[in-house]
Amino acid sequence: MSSEVLILFVVNGHIKRPQDEDIQSSALEIVGSNVQSTYITCPADPAATLGIKLPFFVMIVKNLKKYFTFEIQVLDDRNVRRRFRASNFRDVTRVKPFICTMPLRLDEGWTQIQLNLADYTRRAYGTNYVETLRVQVHANCRLRRIYFSDRLYSEEELPPEFKLYLPMQVAIPFLFRNACTLVGLFSSSMSFSYALYYILQKA
């Protein structure tokens, strides 16, 4: 794949596409002894941005029962870049001026992680979400799909290429006490961004 879209960093680990026995299909496996030094990031150019304005981030990952973290960088209406980092090894949420770190609980097997970036930005910083600039997924996980949407869609509403055809748990990073209610705020017609989806298909 062209390095203009996606770049991989590996130290004491690997990034490959094995066949997953549960879904009988390939997935992107990101494994490393240190979560900070093995990851994928998009876009590859540090000066470039994704420019995705759809507020709902959805990622389908498999729990490898190891430390795992991912990070999303957004731009708000004050023209400030904020980062949301979710990790399965953190216990509390911390909000600092430019980064919000959150605990993430993953059940066994495949999980769909959902983030309402508009609501998270408003609750953490009191500002309005404008767009997503960058996504970074670190070790350790198997990654099947990443996409953005205008709202959360049921399995029946999704196009075939976005379905996993496997029962999954839903994980929502713990921002505040009522984090699990921060969904379904948008109801316009279906509109998906395929930018990150194509990363995972062609990497």
Side-chain angles (χ1 to χ4, degrees):
M1 159 169 245
S2 169
S3 61
E4 294 178 358
V5 178
L6 173 70
I7 191 167
L8 289 64
F9 293 88
V10 181
V11 177
N12 295 326
H14 67 256
I15 298 176
K16 58 184 182 181
R17 292 183 66 92
Q19 191 83 356
D20 185 84
E21 61 279 2
D22 292 334
I23 61 174
Q24 295 297 303
S25 184
S26 62
L28 192 66
E29 183 174 270
I30 308 170
V31 171
S33 58
N34 186 328
V35 296
Q36 295 301 324
S37 58
T38 300
Y39 61 93
I40 61 171
T41 186
C42 180
D45 181 355
T49 63
L50 290 171
I52 296 175
K53 299 184 182 300
L54 301 173
F56 283 91
F57 169 89
V58 180
M59 179 165 62
I60 299 175
V61 298
K62 187 175 188 178
N63 182 6
L64 298 183
K65 300 180 181 179
K66 298 180 180 180
Y67 286 164
F68 165 62
T69 186
F70 70 94
E71 181 176 301
I72 303 171
Q73 185 183 65
V74 305
L75 182 72
D76 67 12
D77 61 351
R78 293 181 185 171
N79 205 35
V80 176
R81 296 184 177 210
R82 319 276 191 182
R83 289 180 294 155
F84 292 97
R85 181 184 298 160
S87 311
N88 66 353
F89 49 84
R90 294 191 179 277
D91 296 322
V92 296
T93 298
R94 299 187 187 278
V95 180
K96 297 182 179 180
F98 303 108
I99 185 170
C100 173
T101 57
M102 304 171 288
L104 174 67
R105 180 181 176 273
L106 292 177
D107 290 313
E108 189 171 345
W110 286 93
T111 298
Q112 184 183 91
I113 298 173
Q114 303 171 350
L115 280 81
N116 180 342
L117 296 170
D119 207 31
Y120 277 32
T121 302
R122 182 167 56 251
R123 288 174 178 268
Y125 296 107
T127 59
N128 294 313
Y129 168 85
V130 174
E131 64 184 41
T132 296
L133 304 176
R134 176 171 295 275
V135 173
Q136 205 159 281
V137 181
H138 291 249
N140 292 274
C141 71
R142 281 189 178 177
L143 185 55
R144 176 61 180 172
R145 188 83 75 239
I146 296 176
Y147 65 88
F148 291 80
S149 63
D150 61 330
R151 64 175 175 88
L152 293 178
Y153 290 88
S154 67
E155 187 77 3
E156 292 74 23
E157 292 179 290
L158 291 173
E161 61 268 27
F162 284 80
K163 296 180 180 180
L164 197 59
Y165 300 102
L166 185 74
M168 284 185 299
Q169 302 296 322
V170 173
I172 301 176
F174 187 88
L175 181 59
F176 296 110
R177 287 290 177 189
N178 59 342
C180 288
T181 66
L182 309 184
V183 296
L185 301 183
F186 298 83
S187 58
S188 58
S189 61
M190 180 177 285
S191 174
F192 288 102
S193 168
Y194 286 77
L196 291 176
Y197 167 70
Y198 279 127
I199 286 174
L200 300 183
Q201 285 297 92
K202 302 183 183 299

